[in-house]
Amino acid sequence: MEFLDQYQKIVADAIEKHSFTNKPDELYSPMNYIISHGGKRLRPIMVLMACDLFQGDLEKALKPSLAIEFFHNFTLIHDDIMDEAPLRRNKPTIHTLHGINVGILSGDALLIKAYQFFEDLEPELFKKCIIIFSETGAVLCEGQQNDVNFETQKNVTYDDYIHMITSKTGVLSAASFQIGALIAGASEEDAEAMYNFGKHIGIAFQIMDDYLDVFGNQEQFGKKHAGDIYENKKTILYLLALEHANEEELSELNYWYSKKTDNVDKIYSVEKIFRRTKVDDKVLRLIQKHNEIGQSYLDKINLPDEKKLPFRELANYLLRRES
């Protein structure tokens, strides 16, 4: 995965170059804080990879790639506030350090900065990219609201869940690849194929996120263990457990998901049901299914297979992660 390191360095250098020196510090310091703890910065890398695939100018794609990264971090700040999450990437969340008001405002400022990163594109390309970017933002908000709704909604179906994670996670990866392809001058058809590749890889990535919340190495994962169970999140683990649970297990699941509590017995009991109903194996198979669907869209692009190999490697790498 050396190619990934090269892209990460390009993104890291660009982020350092565009770090905030403005005042007041109370607004901009938290923005620098979350951007500097940027994890693997996969979404801006997706923009650059797609641009490279179609022999585009990486310099031209660099600021739009930062737009995706800044937007992503805006969503994380607000997501953490809504989830009352104490940790993000093994670091205290912004609202934990600075309070909710600063979290809201610094998130808003990151969103505005994200839009400014598109301003250097020529008018026609600017319009195309902004349409995708704005639509992605709107859909992502819908996904987040559905995620919140599911906590108290009794009848959440498998299709509801897939729709929600597509909106909340899949579309941002999809848009990253599509925008990178369009900046490089790819055809609408090829850019659409990249969108669908990104969408299904994003779905698989979010399902893996749900899996790791319970079954992952929590020290590496950097989040509170089983936070989704605490929050009564109707994840794929929960939905598959409902489908395969016996009467006694069903009753126990309904009992624990009817209350929001930090009771460790809740985590222990629900995890035990997850293991007994073998949802861990079922979820891993579902992740692989979406990975395969995503990679099938690469086959629609008329380019040599060796050029597409890094995308296949990236998809497989994402789904082997532990953090």
Side-chain angles (χ1 to χ4, degrees):
M1 298 295 287
E2 280 179 26
F3 74 90
L4 207 55
D5 295 335
Q6 292 167 359
Y7 286 120
Q8 280 175 332
K9 183 170 187 332
I10 293 169
V11 173
D13 289 347
I15 284 174
E16 189 176 345
K17 179 182 173 185
H18 291 281
S19 63
F20 298 103
T21 56
N22 318 53
K23 301 292 181 185
D25 286 337
E26 291 81 1
L27 174 65
Y28 290 104
S29 177
M31 293 161 67
N32 283 330
Y33 172 81
I34 193 164
I35 292 294
S36 67
H37 297 142
K40 296 181 177 68
R41 292 168 175 156
L42 295 168
R43 291 155 192 87
I45 287 171
M46 291 171 181
V47 177
L48 299 180
M49 285 181 67
C51 184
D52 245 354
L53 177 65
F54 297 99
Q55 298 181 305
D57 178 0
L58 280 193
E59 192 61 38
K60 187 175 177 181
L62 196 50
K63 280 188 178 179
S65 80
L66 294 188
I68 299 285
E69 179 67 2
F70 279 44
F71 174 83
H72 175 58
N73 280 277
F74 141 71
T75 68
L76 296 183
I77 295 173
H78 286 196
D79 205 20
D80 288 339
I81 291 170
M82 295 176 77
D83 288 345
E84 299 177 2
L87 291 177
R88 167 72 63 182
R89 300 163 182 152
N90 272 325
K91 303 280 184 185
T93 47
I94 283 180
H95 71 275
T96 304
L97 291 173
H98 303 284
I100 289 174
N101 289 348
V102 169
I104 292 169
L105 199 58
S106 58
D108 292 345
L110 276 176
L111 173 61
I112 293 163
K113 184 63 184 176
Y115 272 94
Q116 291 177 323
F117 277 132
F118 286 104
E119 289 172 358
D120 291 348
L121 298 177
E122 59 266 30
E124 188 179 343
L125 184 56
F126 173 83
K127 185 178 179 182
K128 277 184 184 177
C129 290
I130 286 295
I131 288 171
I132 295 165
F133 190 63
S134 297
E135 176 63 18
T136 299
V139 169
L140 197 142
C141 289
E142 292 167 9
Q144 175 67 4
Q145 185 60 57
N146 281 327
D147 193 19
V148 172
N149 291 352
F150 289 177
E151 290 175 27
T152 52
Q153 190 175 318
K154 285 189 178 176
N155 299 313
V156 177
T157 66
Y158 171 82
D159 287 342
D160 291 335
Y161 167 83
I162 293 295
H163 177 70
M164 182 273 288
I165 65 168
T166 301
S167 302
K168 191 176 172 185
T169 303
V171 293
L172 191 55
S173 300
S176 300
F177 284 120
Q178 187 179 27
I179 285 171
L182 288 172
I183 289 171
S187 69
E188 297 287 343
E189 292 77 18
D190 284 346
E192 187 69 21
M194 291 305 300
Y195 179 91
N196 284 307
F197 166 71
K199 181 176 78 172
H200 284 281
I201 296 308
I203 290 169
F205 184 86
Q206 182 58 50
I207 296 173
M208 178 61 87
D209 213 53
D210 292 349
Y211 171 88
L212 291 172
D213 181 76
V214 176
F215 297 110
N217 180 327
Q218 297 308 309
E219 202 172 297
Q220 290 183 315
F221 195 41
K223 292 182 183 178
K224 179 180 180 180
H225 172 61
D228 289 343
I229 296 175
Y230 280 112
E231 296 291 327
N232 293 335
K233 299 267 188 192
K234 306 296 196 303
T235 67
I236 191 64
L237 302 174
Y238 168 81
L239 294 173
L240 287 173
L242 279 187
E243 190 181 329
H244 296 279
N246 60 34
E247 238 177 271
E248 185 186 336
E249 290 163 341
L250 207 54
S251 173
E252 196 175 349
L253 274 176
N254 288 332
Y255 169 76
W256 285 119
Y257 275 77
S258 68
K259 54 180 73 186
K260 228 180 198 183
T261 173
D262 273 2
N263 187 335
V264 71
D265 290 340
K266 174 179 181 175
I267 307 306
Y268 175 74
S269 300
V270 172
E271 274 191 38
K272 208 159 83 169
I273 293 169
F274 284 174
R275 291 184 190 280
R276 281 205 305 259
T277 51
K278 294 184 167 46
V279 297
D280 47 344
D281 293 337
K282 294 177 176 68
V283 165
L284 289 174
R285 285 199 295 273
L286 187 60
I287 288 166
Q288 189 53 37
K289 173 190 163 188
H290 280 282
N291 184 15
E292 288 168 4
I293 293 171
Q295 293 200 40
S296 72
Y297 281 98
L298 290 178
D299 299 331
K300 299 178 187 295
I301 298 170
N302 187 23
L303 285 171
D305 283 344
E306 61 266 23
K307 283 184 173 289
K308 295 182 258 189
L309 186 60
F311 295 85
R312 302 191 194 279
E313 288 179 356
L314 175 66
N316 294 331
Y317 164 76
L318 291 177
L319 305 180
R320 284 196 305 268
R321 71 199 172 103
E322 292 185 308
S323 61

